[in-house]
Amino acid sequence: MAGTGHTVKSYEEEMQSLNDNLVKMGSLTETQIAEAMAAVIKVDKDSVDKIVKNDGSINELRSIIDEQITTVLVKRAPMAVDLRITLSTLKISHDLERIGDLAKSIAKKVKPLPIDLPDELIGSLRRLGDLVQKQLKEVLDAYLNKSKDKSIEIWKKDEQVDDLTNLAMNEVANYLQSDKKNLEIATHLLFVTKNIERAGDHITNIAESLYYLIEGEYLEGARPKGKPIDS
Amino acid sequence: MELENKKIKIQAKNLNVYYGAKQALFNINLEINQKEVTALIGPSGCGKSTFIRCINRMNDVIDICKVDGSIEIDGSEINDKKVDVVMLREKIGMVFQKPNPFPKSIYDNIAYGPIIHGLAEEKNQMDNIVETSLKKAALWDEVKDRLDEPGTSLSGGQQQRLCIARALSVSPEVILMDEPCSALDPIATAKIEELIDELKKSYTIVIVTHSMAQAVRVSQKTGFFHMGKIIEVDSTDKIFKNPSNKMTQDYITGRFG
Ligand SMILES: Nc1ncnc2c1ncn2[C@@H]1O[C@H](COP(=O)(O)OP(=O)(O)OP(=O)(O)O)[C@@H](O)[C@H]1O
Ligand SMILES: [Mg+2]
């Protein structure tokens, strides 16, 4: 978006490498969320360990990005768009790392699940998971294209994530009501649902950071429902 | 924004400046707020020094230089023939890139201005002016026991503060600084910047600087010049976080040339 490159080539290369690492991190996170959701839907316990292990690469990239950003700040004292790119990359990388953590937590809940969960319950989790995956893919695309309109669209769509979260919660409640012995499993499923929703919140944060990067201003108003991000 | 309710101290309107046939400034319009620091930035040769020299009519001394248009200070035109240039320069002090103390004692460097402007009648009045000026320039403690030594015996950073003290000695309202720190080390620079922070409570300051970081640190308003034109003027915050003009952005982010 800045048009011509920096006069100092190594500065240009540093910013490029930062961008590349963030994109790499985004794509790893996308895979992790997709695999964690697939594991839940199919109650595929075999994939859990791999998902847990792969979270390490996301964390590693986060540390690399932190380090690179510190270097850019010290060496270049970035201004204007460079400053905004640097700050947004820092924030986005942290949100991606959190999404990665949530994918890992979701996967860990798969092991105790029974294979005969009700179709409606699985269906509601799938719809929620699909939407969040779509949001994540779109926000990463929007980052690549520096699309302001997309960032607003994604930000607004978090409301749908909330709606699907409520539906999934209801299904979990039904499942619990049908047999009180389901309590432990239902608790796991509530965590899964909550974690997907939180991933959605981090995606909203990314949309906000992206908007700031592009516009140099913060998105008007609070997030759609004004709910605080996970504590 | 806070810029809105500040009083305008200096206003340039349709200012054009020529060196012989060559035009150096094109239709400059710029407002400088009272008791605030305005930074002027831009590539070498873009006209920053030419502009600040208009504010105290220093361009008058350059034969081939012709200034057209208006500069008002507190609403009155300074390019008017009736304006007493000596009085004007009493009101508007200037500090240059290279510290240029007179080849005289530290004391006389400060006393010189007040003498020619007839500001002190007795020795103790003058002593007082010298002391206060040096204190305002944060130099007093370092030189109070060596006031008789030549100004040139001081370090570069001290010399620059001596020049600031000299500018302050005639109680100016405006201080123009043309790259005042470019010959100084980081500590001397920090001292000058700290001094600027202090001085802006009482004076209107215009500073030309090639250091973006310095402009951010010391100023509230920034003007970007390019090839004799003002490209963008805004709050310093806006200019360095989110400039409106692409040329400004390219310049401050190092994407020029
Ligand atoms: N005394 C002079 N005689 C002729 N031309 C001059 C004179 N002073 C400046 N100029 C020209 O006017 C233009 C603006 O010069 P000025 O010194 O104002 O630039 P500047 O922005 O202060 O540059 P720098 O950052 O290098 O100090 C330049 O093209 C310069 O060559
Ligand atoms: Mg100059």
Side-chain angles (χ1 to χ4, degrees):
Chain A
M1 71 180 290
T4 44
H6 292 98
T7 310
V8 178
K9 279 209 190 59
S10 51
Y11 188 2
E12 196 64 14
E13 286 158 14
E14 284 161 23
M15 294 304 276
Q16 188 59 48
S17 159
L18 199 52
N19 178 72
D20 294 349
N21 281 331
L22 191 70
V23 171
K24 209 187 289 173
M25 205 179 161
S27 107
L28 283 177
T29 311
E30 230 182 317
T31 309
Q32 285 288 90
I33 276 281
E35 296 196 345
M37 282 319 294
V40 171
I41 306 298
K42 292 188 261 173
V43 194
D44 172 10
K45 305 182 186 202
D46 296 339
S47 62
V48 172
D49 290 343
K50 188 185 117 199
I51 297 171
V52 170
K53 184 173 147 279
N54 286 351
D55 186 49
S57 345
I58 296 181
N59 297 341
E60 220 169 276
L61 271 172
R62 219 289 320 278
S63 314
I64 294 172
I65 288 175
D66 273 2
E67 196 62 42
Q68 285 183 307
I69 285 176
T70 312
T71 307
V72 166
L73 289 174
V74 170
K75 263 171 91 170
R76 313 294 181 188
M79 298 280 185
V81 68
D82 295 324
L83 178 66
R84 304 204 306 271
I85 291 176
T86 311
L87 293 179
S88 304
T89 305
L90 183 67
K91 287 167 89 176
I92 292 173
S93 68
H94 282 235
D95 281 310
L96 287 174
E97 189 204 0
R98 293 292 293 123
I99 296 174
D101 289 343
L102 291 165
K104 182 171 79 175
S105 311
I106 291 169
K108 279 180 171 172
K109 300 286 180 214
V110 172
K111 284 211 170 151
L113 294 184
I115 46 165
D116 57 346
L117 286 167
D119 286 348
E120 302 79 42
L121 176 53
I122 289 293
S124 70
L125 288 175
R126 180 195 295 123
R127 278 190 295 279
L128 174 59
D130 284 353
L131 179 59
V132 167
Q133 285 177 65
K134 183 161 170 279
Q135 287 274 85
L136 180 58
K137 181 185 181 314
E138 294 202 338
V139 86
L140 295 170
D141 287 347
Y143 174 82
L144 280 178
N145 305 321
K146 305 288 178 281
S147 165
K148 178 182 85 173
D149 293 345
K150 269 284 174 194
S151 73
I152 301 172
E153 197 180 297
I154 293 157
W155 186 75
K156 285 190 177 148
K157 234 190 195 165
D158 190 52
E159 240 168 305
Q160 292 182 27
V161 174
D162 293 343
D163 292 344
L164 289 185
T165 301
N166 288 335
L167 290 177
M169 300 273 228
N170 285 342
E171 290 302 336
V172 177
N174 291 341
Y175 173 66
L176 176 58
Q177 252 159 17
S178 70
D179 185 344
K180 291 286 182 267
K181 285 204 293 293
N182 289 342
L183 178 61
E184 198 191 324
I185 304 297
T187 313
H188 290 315
L189 290 169
L190 274 183
F191 272 112
V192 168
T193 313
K194 239 2 215 175
N195 284 346
I196 308 173
E197 186 199 19
R198 284 174 176 178
D201 291 339
H202 287 287
I203 293 166
T204 323
N205 286 352
I206 297 175
E208 286 171 9
S209 299
L210 176 59
Y211 184 91
Y212 174 72
L213 190 172
I214 299 165
E215 286 291 286
E217 281 165 21
Y218 295 98
L219 250 172
E220 269 310 305
R223 61 185 53 254
K225 281 228 182 115
K227 60 188 157 57
I229 198 104
D230 57 314
S231 36
Chain B
M1 284 210 60
E2 66 178 83
L3 290 183
E4 308 298 336
N5 38 34
K6 282 270 184 174
K7 183 173 175 292
I8 296 169
K9 181 74 181 175
I10 304 167
Q11 180 152 36
K13 286 186 203 155
N14 305 324
L15 193 71
N16 289 283
V17 178
Y18 309 80
Y19 293 103
K22 184 182 178 307
Q23 187 163 1
L25 290 180
F26 297 81
N27 218 41
I28 301 297
N29 288 286
L30 183 61
E31 290 171 356
I32 288 162
N33 294 326
Q34 187 172 43
K35 295 186 183 173
E36 189 175 278
V37 181
T38 299
L40 304 180
I41 58 169
S44 201
C46 67
K48 305 176 296 293
S49 299
T50 302
F51 177 75
I52 65 166
R53 284 201 305 263
C54 290
I55 300 175
N56 63 352
R57 293 201 25 195
M58 285 282 281
N59 288 320
D60 287 13
V61 302
I62 303 172
D63 281 343
I64 56 165
C65 186
K66 180 167 144 293
V67 177
D68 252 8
S70 150
I71 291 195
E72 288 177 0
I73 295 186
D74 295 326
S76 47
E77 178 59 54
I78 66 154
N79 285 331
D80 204 297
K81 296 234 165 20
K82 293 190 298 245
V83 170
D84 177 348
V85 179
V86 176
M87 292 279 283
L88 178 73
R89 291 186 193 145
E90 182 183 326
K91 201 150 88 170
I92 303 168
M94 187 151 182
V95 177
F96 299 87
Q97 173 170 8
K98 283 228 314 264
N100 56 349
F102 304 134
K104 290 168 183 283
S105 72
I106 294 173
Y107 186 99
D108 288 344
N109 261 277
I110 311 294
Y112 180 80
I115 288 171
I116 57 167
H117 291 294
L119 298 181
E121 283 166 10
E122 291 162 31
K123 171 88 167 83
N124 65 350
Q125 274 179 313
M126 187 59 85
D127 289 350
N128 194 25
I129 291 179
V130 170
E131 181 173 340
T132 352
S133 305
L134 286 168
K135 277 183 174 159
K136 283 185 190 156
L139 188 61
W140 175 249
D141 289 341
E142 289 159 66
V143 301
K144 61 176 190 289
D145 301 321
R146 49 192 284 203
L147 294 174
D148 295 334
E149 291 176 29
T152 48
S153 69
L154 297 170
S155 76
Q158 289 171 330
Q159 287 186 25
Q160 196 59 302
R161 277 178 285 146
L162 180 66
C163 293
I164 293 174
R166 188 176 68 193
L168 297 177
S169 67
V170 293
S171 306
E173 294 167 19
V174 177
I175 304 169
L176 308 174
M177 300 182 165
D178 197 347
E179 299 181 49
C181 301
S182 57
L184 306 184
D185 79 359
I187 296 168
T189 298
K191 284 187 185 158
I192 303 277
E193 289 181 1
E194 167 62 18
L195 181 57
I196 292 173
D197 268 350
E198 193 54 39
L199 294 176
K200 75 157 186 281
K201 294 173 190 157
S202 324
Y203 307 89
T204 302
I205 299 173
V206 184
I207 180 171
V208 169
T209 177
H210 280 291
S211 158
M212 301 301 112
Q214 179 167 68
V216 177
R217 288 193 298 263
V218 303
S219 73
Q220 288 70 55
K221 186 173 182 173
T222 296
F224 171 57
F225 280 70
H226 183 58
M227 293 178 44
K229 299 194 171 105
I230 280 253
I231 305 297
E232 186 171 355
V233 190
D234 212 324
S235 75
T236 297
D237 196 62
K238 176 86 168 63
I239 293 282
F240 289 96
K241 285 184 190 162
N242 189 18
S244 305
N245 190 287
K246 181 163 184 309
M247 268 207 265
T248 315
Q249 168 126 296
D250 284 350
Y251 180 70
I252 63 177
T253 61
R255 288 178 164 86
F256 245 62

